[in-house]
């Protein structure tokens, strides 16, 4: 089974619409929709915005549905000159940019997991490669593989985005992927993140205006890729 998690309706509704024989269950106030997409058994959930909501959804999905792997999909903001509005980001690793115990001598973003500490949570290499192959095969998909930064903040200024890039080498920022990655890593469930850029702080009106203008089209691009991924790799799941 493939697990798919997005934060908002625009990130998951069109995926659920392609599902055959959908079954909905609400657990811990999260609606999980399971069924078949392109011959592949899937479960799709809207987790809500932010790290706690995403972690709650991910742990529940793992316990109740036992997916073979989980993909977090949706939109993100650019933190690099390599990514711009309309481009796609595939995470090879994730960092939580707002986790900060540097006053105690730790590295920025250092997480304290059972039995180990780390800053960057690695994504599943096989899934990264499969998503790359899908993006390469589709028309007009400009994609970049790199580190995605997560925090409980909408990053709206170019200065803050530049800071996140310099500190962590991140090419995009969002608000859920890092916690989804952490829960998957602890549970030994392969994961990956695919996001489409909705805002890059390049316009005169700022990131909020960009987000409001391009969020839907960016989300649709991510949906297109996820559906192509399911079609291409369904027999392997």
């Amino acid at each position: 089974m493939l697990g798919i998690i997005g934060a908002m309706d625009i990130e998951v509704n069109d995926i659920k619409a392609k599902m055959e024989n959908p079954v909905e269950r609400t657990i811990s106030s999260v609606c999980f929709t399971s069924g078949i997409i392109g011959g592949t058994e899937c479960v799709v959930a809207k987790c809500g915005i932010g790290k706690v909501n995403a972690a709650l959804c991910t742990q529940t999905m793992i316990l109740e549905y036992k997916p073979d792997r989980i993909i977090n999909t949706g939109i993100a903001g650019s933190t690099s000159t390599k990514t711009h509005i309309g481009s796609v980001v595939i995470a090879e690793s994730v960092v939580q940019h707002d986790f900060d115990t540097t006053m105690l001598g730790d590295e920025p973003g250092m997480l304290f997991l059972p039995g180990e500490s780390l800053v960057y949570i690695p994504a599943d290499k096989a899934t990264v490669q499969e998503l790359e192959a899908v993006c390469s095969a589709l028309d007009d998909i400009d994609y970049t593989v790199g580190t995605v930064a997560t925090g409980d903040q909408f990053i709206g200024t170019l200065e803050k985005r530049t800071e996140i890039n310099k500190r962590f080498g991140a090419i995009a920022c969002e608000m859920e992927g890092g916690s989804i990655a952490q829960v998957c890593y602890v549970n030994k469930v392969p994961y990956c993140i695919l996001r489409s850029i909705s805002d890059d702080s390049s316009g005169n009106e700022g990131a909020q205006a960009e987000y409001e203008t391009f969020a839907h089209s960016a989300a649709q691009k991510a949906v297109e890729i996820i559906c192509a991924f399911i079609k291409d790799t369904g027999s392997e799941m």
Side-chain angles (χ1 to χ4, degrees):
M1 174 178 277
L2 173 66
I4 302 170
I5 298 174
M8 300 181 291
D9 286 330
I10 61 170
E11 297 171 330
V12 297
N13 277 358
D14 284 351
I15 299 175
K16 291 193 293 184
K18 297 180 182 298
M19 190 173 284
E20 299 175 24
N21 304 317
V23 176
E24 291 189 351
R25 293 175 63 199
T26 299
I27 311 169
S28 300
S29 297
V30 178
C31 179
F32 295 87
T33 305
S34 58
I36 305 297
I37 302 175
T40 298
E41 190 177 8
C42 299
V43 56
V44 182
K46 181 186 79 169
C47 64
I49 296 171
K51 292 198 296 181
V52 174
N53 285 330
L56 172 69
C57 174
T58 307
Q59 186 64 57
T60 302
M61 179 179 284
I62 290 171
L63 291 175
E64 294 292 330
Y65 291 92
K66 298 176 174 55
D68 300 302
R69 54 181 163 178
I70 290 176
I71 296 180
N72 172 221
T73 185
I75 59 179
S78 172
T79 56
S80 168
T81 56
K82 295 179 180 179
T83 55
H84 53 83
I85 293 172
S87 63
V88 171
V89 168
I90 303 169
E92 63 182 1
S93 64
V94 188
V95 61
Q96 295 184 35
H97 67 80
D98 61 346
F99 203 105
D100 188 351
T101 56
T102 53
M103 289 294 292
L104 302 177
D106 300 315
E107 293 181 59
M110 179 67 74
L111 301 175
F112 304 94
L113 308 183
E116 65 178 312
S117 301
L118 77 171
V119 175
Y120 298 93
I121 302 177
D124 178 58
K125 291 182 179 180
T127 306
V128 171
Q129 292 171 356
E130 290 166 358
L131 285 169
E132 283 190 81
V134 169
C135 288
S136 295
L138 293 173
D139 293 333
D140 300 322
I141 299 295
D142 171 30
Y143 74 92
T144 305
V145 179
T147 296
V148 170
T150 300
D152 279 326
Q153 306 162 1
F154 179 85
I155 306 301
T157 66
L158 183 59
E159 290 77 13
K160 182 63 175 178
R161 293 178 188 228
T162 301
E163 176 189 331
I164 291 171
N165 174 261
K166 288 183 176 180
R167 177 168 288 190
F168 299 107
I171 58 175
C173 60
E174 39 84 288
M175 299 179 65
E176 297 82 30
S179 57
I180 292 171
Q182 182 173 341
V183 173
C184 286
Y185 186 82
V186 169
N187 284 277
K188 296 181 171 54
V189 174
Y191 87 94
C192 193
I193 295 171
L194 181 134
R195 297 274 186 150
S196 181
I197 300 297
S198 61
D199 50 282
D200 60 13
S201 296
S202 63
N204 293 329
E205 296 180 339
Q208 180 181 353
E210 292 172 348
Y211 172 86
E212 292 172 352
T213 301
F214 297 108
H216 188 268
S217 60
Q220 289 302 302
K221 183 171 290 187
V223 167
E224 176 189 0
I225 295 168
I226 292 298
C227 291
F229 170 83
I230 295 171
K231 179 181 177 182
D232 288 358
T233 62
S235 61
E236 302 172 12
M237 296 184 209

